[in-house]
Amino acid sequence: MTWFRKRPFLWFILPGFALYSLFTVYPIFSAFQISLNKWDGIGPKTFVGFANYAELFGNKELFGQLTGAFRHSVILFLLNALAVLPGQLYMAYLLYSRIKGHRFFQAMIFSPQFIATPVIVFMGTLIFDGNIGVFNKLLEAVGLGEWTRPWIGLPEFGIYIVWIMVAWSGIGVGMIFFLGAMKMIPVEMMEAALLEGASYWRRFFSIVLPQIKTTVLNMLILTYIFAMTMFDFSFILGGVSGGINRSVDVMALFFYRIAFGDNSAVGGTMNVNAMGMGTTIACVMFAVIFVVAVVQVVLTYRRTEDGA
C-alpha cells in the first residue's frame, strides 16, 4: 500500500486498465488459445498446436477464400484512401471556409449516418438493379443504353458496388473529423496567410494540411481497420456465402462464415472444427491489422518528433 500511496495516479489508471484488460487483452489471448485447438464450439477441445494455421494456409479451398476476402478488403481500403479520404478533406475545407449554406451541407453530408445499413443496401440494390435500377435508366437517358448491365448480378462489379454504398454512408464521418481538426488551427495563422496574399488552395496545402497531418494519418489507419473488419454491407448484399462467386466476400465475412455460418466441408477438418478454424482466421486478421497499426503509430511519432 505504501507503494500505491507514493503513486496516487495509479488509482485513476487502475479502473480503466482493469476494464481494458478484461474486455480487450483477455479476449485476444483467449482467442489465440482457442486457435491452437480443434473445437466445434460445443464439445471438448483437442489441442493441435499450429495445425489450424497450417490448414488455413495449406488447404487450397480455405486459402483461396482467405486471399479472395483479403483482396477485396484491400480494394475497399485503397478506394477509400485514394478517393473517399481526399473527398472528405475537400468537403471539410469547404465547410471550414464557411461557404454559403455550410451548416445545411454539413448536416446533409453527415445524415446517412442516421440510416440503418439494411436500408442503405436496399436503396443501393434499387439504384443498380438491372431492370428498374435508376443507374441504368440514367444511362439510357443520356444515350448510353448499350452500357446498361445487371450490375448487382455481375461478380466483377460486386465489391465496387459495396464500396459505393460504404462510401456514401460513411463519407460524412471522416469529414467531421477533419473539420474538427481544422477548427483547432489558430485563427491568427490563417489571417496572416490571407494578409500575405496566400490563395485559397495555397492556404490549404501550406497551412491546413501540415497542421492536420496527424489527423490524416489517424484517419488512414481507421480506414484500414474499417476495411479489414467491415461485415454488414457484404453480408446483407451477398449473404453468408459472399455473393456470386464470393464477389463481395471480405475478411470479417469469411471469419463469420467459417465460425458461425455455412460450415459445409471444404476439405480437412473444417466441418468439425468451426470454432478452432474461425478463431484462427480472427487471429490472422488481428495480426494483419496490428502490424499496420504499429507501423502507423511509429510513423506518426516520428513525424511529430520531426515537426517538434
Side-chain angles (χ1 to χ4, degrees):
M1 292 299 294
T2 303
W3 188 80
F4 275 100
R5 290 194 186 98
K6 293 181 179 180
R7 299 167 178 83
F9 60 88
L10 292 176
W11 293 107
F12 295 94
I13 299 175
L14 188 60
F17 178 76
L19 292 173
Y20 178 78
S21 301
L22 179 63
F23 294 106
T24 302
V25 178
Y26 171 73
I28 291 173
F29 285 99
S30 178
F32 179 69
Q33 184 271 330
I34 294 174
S35 73
L36 302 178
N37 291 268
K38 177 182 177 181
W39 188 36
D40 61 2
I42 301 175
K45 301 175 185 176
T46 303
F47 182 77
V48 293
F50 289 95
N52 287 331
Y53 292 90
E55 183 177 352
L56 176 62
F57 291 98
N59 183 288
K60 184 177 180 180
E61 177 66 24
L62 274 176
F63 187 68
Q65 292 187 40
L66 172 66
T67 54
F70 180 73
R71 181 176 66 253
H72 289 158
S73 293
V74 171
I75 289 174
L76 287 176
F77 165 67
L78 292 177
L79 289 173
N80 284 330
L82 298 177
V84 179
L85 194 143
Q88 292 169 332
L89 276 169
Y90 174 68
M91 289 186 293
Y93 187 52
L94 288 178
L95 297 177
Y96 173 72
S97 303
R98 294 183 175 275
I99 61 172
K100 186 176 181 180
H102 66 279
R103 296 188 184 278
F104 170 79
F105 289 117
Q106 179 176 327
M108 288 300 99
I109 296 171
F110 190 76
S111 62
Q113 284 300 301
F114 304 107
I115 304 176
T117 302
V119 178
I120 294 174
V121 175
F122 176 70
M123 293 166 58
T125 56
L126 290 181
I127 292 174
F128 292 104
D129 184 84
N131 297 316
I132 61 171
V134 176
F135 188 62
N136 278 346
K137 298 298 182 183
L138 180 62
L139 290 176
E140 293 174 355
V142 297
L144 297 175
E146 66 275 10
W147 287 89
T148 58
R149 300 286 189 279
W151 304 101
I152 298 293
L154 297 177
E156 59 268 29
F157 294 111
I159 196 62
Y160 299 101
I161 291 175
V162 170
W163 170 70
I164 291 173
M165 297 179 188
V166 170
W168 180 79
S169 66
I171 195 169
V173 178
M175 180 197 70
I176 292 297
F177 271 95
F178 290 135
L179 181 60
M182 291 176 187
K183 288 183 177 181
M184 296 178 66
I185 300 175
V187 178
E188 295 79 7
M189 185 180 297
M190 297 298 292
E191 290 178 347
L194 186 61
L195 290 174
E196 291 179 5
S199 65
Y200 183 78
W201 289 112
R202 180 67 175 177
R203 296 196 299 274
F204 176 73
F205 287 106
S206 298
I207 298 178
V208 175
L209 271 185
Q211 290 294 317
I212 65 170
K213 61 182 179 182
T214 301
T215 304
V216 174
L217 287 172
N218 289 335
M219 277 302 303
L220 196 60
I221 191 60
L222 288 176
T223 300
Y224 177 76
I225 293 173
F226 172 79
M228 288 296 159
T229 57
M230 194 273 290
F231 168 81
D232 47 358
F233 284 90
S234 289
F235 178 73
I236 297 171
L237 185 64
V240 70
S241 63
I244 303 173
N245 296 334
R246 307 198 190 282
S247 59
V248 297
D249 199 15
V250 287
M251 288 293 288
L253 182 57
F254 174 47
F255 156 75
Y256 174 83
R257 180 168 62 252
I258 301 301
F260 305 107
D262 181 14
N263 287 321
S264 57
V266 293
T269 60
M270 223 293 296
N271 55 331
V272 294
N273 189 28
M275 195 56 63
M277 184 58 69
T279 52
T280 299
I281 296 169
C283 289
V284 171
M285 289 174 57
F286 171 78
V288 171
I289 295 172
F290 180 76
V291 169
V292 175
V294 169
V295 171
Q296 186 267 347
V297 169
V298 172
L299 290 175
T300 301
Y301 176 77
R302 287 182 178 177
R303 288 173 179 271
T304 303
E305 289 294 308
D306 295 340

